[in-house]
Amino acid sequence: MAEINVSVNGRAYTRDVEPRTLLVHFLRDAIGLTGTHVGCDTSQCGACTVLLDGRGVKSCTVLAVQANGAQVTTIEGLETNGALHPLQAAFREAHGLQCGFCTPGMIMSSVDLLSHNPHPTEGEIRHALEGNLCRCTGYHNIVKAVQIAANTMAAGGSAVAAD
Amino acid sequence: MYPASFEYHPAASVQDALALLAKYGDEPKLLAGGHSLIPVMKLRFASPAHLIDIGRIPALSAITDGGSAVHIGATARHASVVSSPVVRQKVPLLAEVASHIGDPLIRNMGTIGGSLAHADPAADLPAAMLALGATLVATGPAGTRTIAADDFFTDVFTTALHPGEMLTEIRVPARGAGSGGAYEKNPDPASGYAIVGIAAQVQVSGGTITAARVGMTGLGPKAMRLAAVEGALTGKPATAATVAAAAAHAADGLVFVDDARGSAAYKGNLARVHTRRALARALAAATA
């Protein structure tokens, strides 16, 4: 076992983990944050995307011990006092999801994109989401949602009250 | 899927990592970003008893301007290579090739040294190393030695690194006026790996191609230079006709098999088409 200290959504966790524990299993099973999904489990679909020290990574291909000392942000960490993050609100508004399985990863990749490129073109959005697969939507409404969120955030909007 | 159990050893320095390598003999694997290693461990193609984490050695990920060459630490992440101003200015072909690896999320974790040491025959970076004439720096118990990219890739998933050694730095000769490069890739639609990838770097002086290096990945047991193509370029005028004549040799000496990725004839055609496209863009960049 290895002891790790990880900050998840701003809260510090100290846990003993088997070194082979994948970050996604640490988040889902050790901490109980099940918003991060396991899709393909082979580094392709991106459903497991989280932010590791601010950059999007596929948490099915990261060992929990690699996150020792790091800051992790998951989909659960985006809301503020019950208000949705602009990306969450935009995915709802633009109908950027159908079954919703890929959505946490799509949103976390989009958070990464907008953090270093606040005004992406449609092409840049599509390239930024190359590592996230959706089997329902055909992607168009996902791209629209990211565009809406970029506009909201550029206009100074932050969180949107959830129903 | 879980990897088989292993013992985890974070290394604080290169010396620390080498000591751990010596201590555990043939059993350990080095972990950098893990984006080649962890997938094969999850599939149980590899079950190392010990993992030595070199991803926590700060000095090992630096990208610095060494004057005549760009020095890239082995654990520099692909995203860092793509966005590095010194890489983009002095060896733009490397930034272009690295931007084709996997997807943005993979490039945020995967490292240049990890990819090169893994030596996947369909990986992008080996083609760039060959086209750019890079030098790979290996550090072992006896000290440091340099390995030319031409000698580094020896077979499928096999390199010239010795047991007990680790790849610590990649030195890429800086490019100046009259030099141009380009990478043309046909990715497997599922994996993103190259069915074929052609990296070309040409030097043009007074309308004549004075030097050319062409690296191919995907269509052989390892990345290799296309010697017949290079030979048909050197000393010739920098024209579309030269490019077309040279690209016709792209499949010379290569043996293709029919498989799920395409027929042998299709692969030969892919090699020629992508070589022509890469050379045309490289020449345009060299003469821009």
Side-chain angles (χ1 to χ4, degrees):
Chain A
M1 301 294 273
E3 183 181 281
I4 61 171
N5 296 288
V6 185
S7 166
V8 182
N9 301 330
R11 184 172 158 192
Y13 294 88
T14 300
R15 291 286 190 280
D16 284 322
V17 298
E18 262 197 276
R20 64 175 173 163
T21 306
L22 299 165
L23 179 57
V24 69
H25 296 305
F26 173 76
L27 294 169
R28 290 178 58 86
D29 302 337
I31 296 185
L33 295 176
T34 55
T36 303
H37 293 164
V38 179
C40 69
D41 209 5
T42 55
S43 343
Q44 299 191 56
C45 80
C48 63
T49 302
V50 300
L51 303 186
L52 181 64
D53 286 335
R55 298 307 301 266
V57 301
K58 292 179 169 174
S59 63
C60 79
T61 311
V62 177
L63 298 170
V65 289
Q66 287 180 287
N68 186 20
Q71 311 259 348
V72 174
T73 306
T74 71
I75 188 73
E76 291 93 341
L78 295 186
E79 57 91 22
T80 309
N81 299 324
L84 296 178
H85 184 282
L87 272 161
Q88 294 174 305
F91 269 69
R92 184 178 63 176
E93 180 185 337
H95 198 57
L97 63 149
Q98 289 179 32
C99 86
F101 196 85
C102 72
T103 311
M106 286 287 176
I107 290 181
M108 297 316 291
S109 279
S110 302
V111 171
D112 183 3
L113 168 68
L114 295 181
S115 73
H116 62 268
N117 183 0
H119 305 289
T121 64
E122 181 189 334
E124 287 170 339
I125 293 169
R126 291 183 182 275
H127 279 297
L129 296 177
E130 267 175 35
N132 296 85
L133 302 183
C134 173
R135 300 292 74 184
C136 301
T137 64
Y139 301 98
H140 293 305
N141 286 350
I142 291 172
V143 175
K144 275 185 209 166
V146 178
Q147 289 172 318
I148 290 170
N151 289 335
T152 305
M153 292 162 75
S158 53
V160 178
D163 292 333
Chain B
M1 295 185 288
Y2 302 89
S5 292
F6 56 85
E7 282 186 42
Y8 171 76
H9 309 277
S13 65
V14 170
Q15 291 313 314
D16 195 14
L18 292 175
L20 288 162
L21 277 174
K23 181 176 177 182
Y24 294 111
D26 291 337
E27 297 172 81
K29 278 282 189 185
L30 295 175
L31 172 72
H35 273 45
S36 298
L37 181 58
I38 293 172
V40 297
M41 289 175 64
K42 288 171 71 175
L43 293 167
R44 307 289 173 110
F45 292 154
S47 299
H50 298 271
L51 274 198
I52 301 168
D53 187 355
I54 59 170
R56 297 177 174 278
I57 305 173
L60 202 55
S61 62
I63 301 175
T64 55
D65 187 347
S68 61
V70 178
H71 295 185
I72 304 169
T75 59
R77 301 196 192 279
H78 303 312
S80 303
V81 172
V82 171
S83 62
S84 160
V86 63
V87 170
R88 299 180 78 91
Q89 186 202 339
K90 294 203 158 185
V91 282
L93 175 60
L94 178 58
E96 181 185 348
V97 171
S99 77
H100 283 267
I101 298 168
D103 59 55
L105 305 168
I106 284 168
R107 294 194 290 275
N108 281 341
M109 273 305 279
T111 67
I112 185 169
S115 175
L116 293 172
H118 188 63
D120 191 304
D124 299 290
L125 285 173
M129 294 295 111
L130 295 173
L132 288 162
T135 298
L136 292 91
V137 181
T139 305
T144 291
R145 71 184 175 112
T146 57
I147 307 167
D150 287 350
D151 302 323
F152 186 76
F153 307 102
T154 56
D155 205 342
V156 183
F157 296 110
T158 310
T159 71
L161 288 170
H162 296 149
E165 270 187 332
M166 59 185 278
L167 181 59
T168 46
E169 187 173 84
I170 296 90
R171 297 177 185 161
V172 188
R175 300 289 155 177
S179 189
Y183 183 57
E184 286 288 337
K185 173 184 182 180
N186 186 295
D188 179 280
S191 72
Y193 276 95
I195 295 175
V196 63
I198 304 288
Q201 187 77 34
V202 297
Q203 182 77 37
V204 177
S205 178
T208 299
I209 300 168
T210 55
R213 296 178 66 102
V214 182
M216 182 281 296
T217 188
L219 289 175
K222 58 174 187 165
M224 56 184 75
R225 286 173 68 186
L226 300 181
V229 175
E230 294 178 3
L233 293 166
T234 310
K236 302 291 195 317
T239 62
T242 299
V243 166
H249 294 289
D252 288 7
L254 297 176
V255 179
F256 304 125
V257 293
D258 297 339
D259 64 17
R261 290 179 159 191
S263 66
Y266 173 72
K267 291 175 182 176
N269 189 56
L270 275 184
R272 287 184 288 271
V273 167
H274 285 74
T275 299
R276 175 169 51 75
R277 290 176 182 169
L279 289 173
R281 278 210 295 122
L283 271 191
T287 54

